[in-house]
Amino acid sequence: MMPILILAAGASSRMRGPDKLLLDVDGMPLLRRQACTALEVSTDVRIALPPRPHARYDVLKDLNVQTIEVTNAAEGMSASLRALFGTLEPEEAHAMVLLGDLPDLNKEDLCSVMNATTQYPDALIWRGATQTGKGGHPMVVARPLFKEFQRLEGDSGGNSIIANQKNAVHLVPLNGNRARQDLDTPEDWAAWRAGRAT
């Protein structure tokens, strides 16, 4: 079963108060929704979280997921990626990376990207994309790149690795903008909720 690695250790600082991953989406905290969606696709879900104590652990405590405490989470996204990729076993050929704050992704989206690994086996990265072709998430990474993710620094995530593999990146179009529709600010949330209401 392909591991799904969820990035959820960020500080949510652009929300200016509330924790975006604890806000309600479809009747549950966004982080719990992401975890439940991942569990529909894989029995191996690993979630990078800030140092304890933190309320994000509470919304996951009854789910069959592995929580990874990222003690240096303030360093940025690379700290979470290093921690998550460091948990992978030698026999695992692929791993899916999923951001914690993409509220429109669903089970079918995750399956589409996951299935692309067998349909397009020559790639090393398979990415969800918008209908206009902009790369986003979820993203599946092949084993030859695992060590590069374990050496990442800074807060650019895996952008440098992706850029270096441009000829080995396969984009999987998903409906609308859901592959990139993250919610970082109160204004983002207000606009997203207004769009849903219409």
Side-chain angles (χ1 to χ4, degrees):
M1 183 61 63
M2 187 184 299
I4 298 181
L5 314 177
I6 300 180
L7 300 176
S12 189
S13 57
R14 294 176 62 192
M15 286 297 294
R16 305 189 296 276
D19 185 340
K20 64 181 178 181
L21 294 183
L22 299 182
L23 295 181
D24 183 272
V25 175
D26 297 332
M28 66 181 71
L30 174 55
L31 176 57
R32 183 179 178 89
R33 181 192 178 281
Q34 295 296 83
C36 289
T37 300
L39 286 169
E40 290 186 80
V41 176
S42 175
T43 57
D44 185 351
V45 177
R46 312 176 194 190
I47 306 178
L49 293 173
R52 290 181 172 89
H54 200 287
R56 292 178 192 172
Y57 290 89
D58 297 335
V59 303
L60 300 170
K61 61 185 178 183
D62 62 330
L63 298 180
N64 187 26
V65 299
Q66 181 181 352
T67 56
I68 309 297
E69 183 175 9
V70 184
T71 55
N72 55 343
E75 179 187 325
M77 193 181 295
S78 293
S80 295
L81 288 166
R82 288 199 309 270
L84 288 167
F85 275 87
T87 68
L88 296 173
E89 301 295 334
E91 67 272 13
E92 288 159 344
H94 302 90
M96 173 176 280
V97 178
L98 177 62
L99 299 185
D101 61 353
L102 294 172
D104 291 329
L105 291 177
N106 58 36
K107 172 186 175 181
E108 288 71 28
D109 296 328
L110 273 59
C111 287
S112 293
V113 178
M114 196 173 284
N115 291 339
T117 63
T118 55
Q119 297 167 350
Y120 303 92
D122 293 335
L124 291 174
I125 295 174
W126 300 260
R127 298 187 75 182
T130 66
Q131 288 182 313
T132 57
K134 293 182 178 180
H137 283 80
M139 177 176 71
V140 172
V141 178
R143 166 156 289 283
L145 299 179
F146 285 7
K147 287 194 180 301
E148 292 192 41
F149 278 88
Q150 291 180 47
R151 294 192 294 262
L152 278 172
E153 300 289 341
D155 196 32
S156 63
N159 290 336
S160 60
I161 298 173
I162 295 168
N164 289 336
Q165 298 296 329
K166 61 179 68 176
N167 295 325
V169 177
H170 178 79
L171 296 181
V172 182
L174 305 177
N175 286 339
N177 194 46
R178 61 180 62 184
R180 293 171 63 95
Q181 182 64 67
D182 58 346
L183 303 177
D184 288 331
T185 68
E187 292 78 16
D188 291 341
W189 278 89
W192 178 76
R193 285 176 169 147
R196 264 196 154 194
T198 58

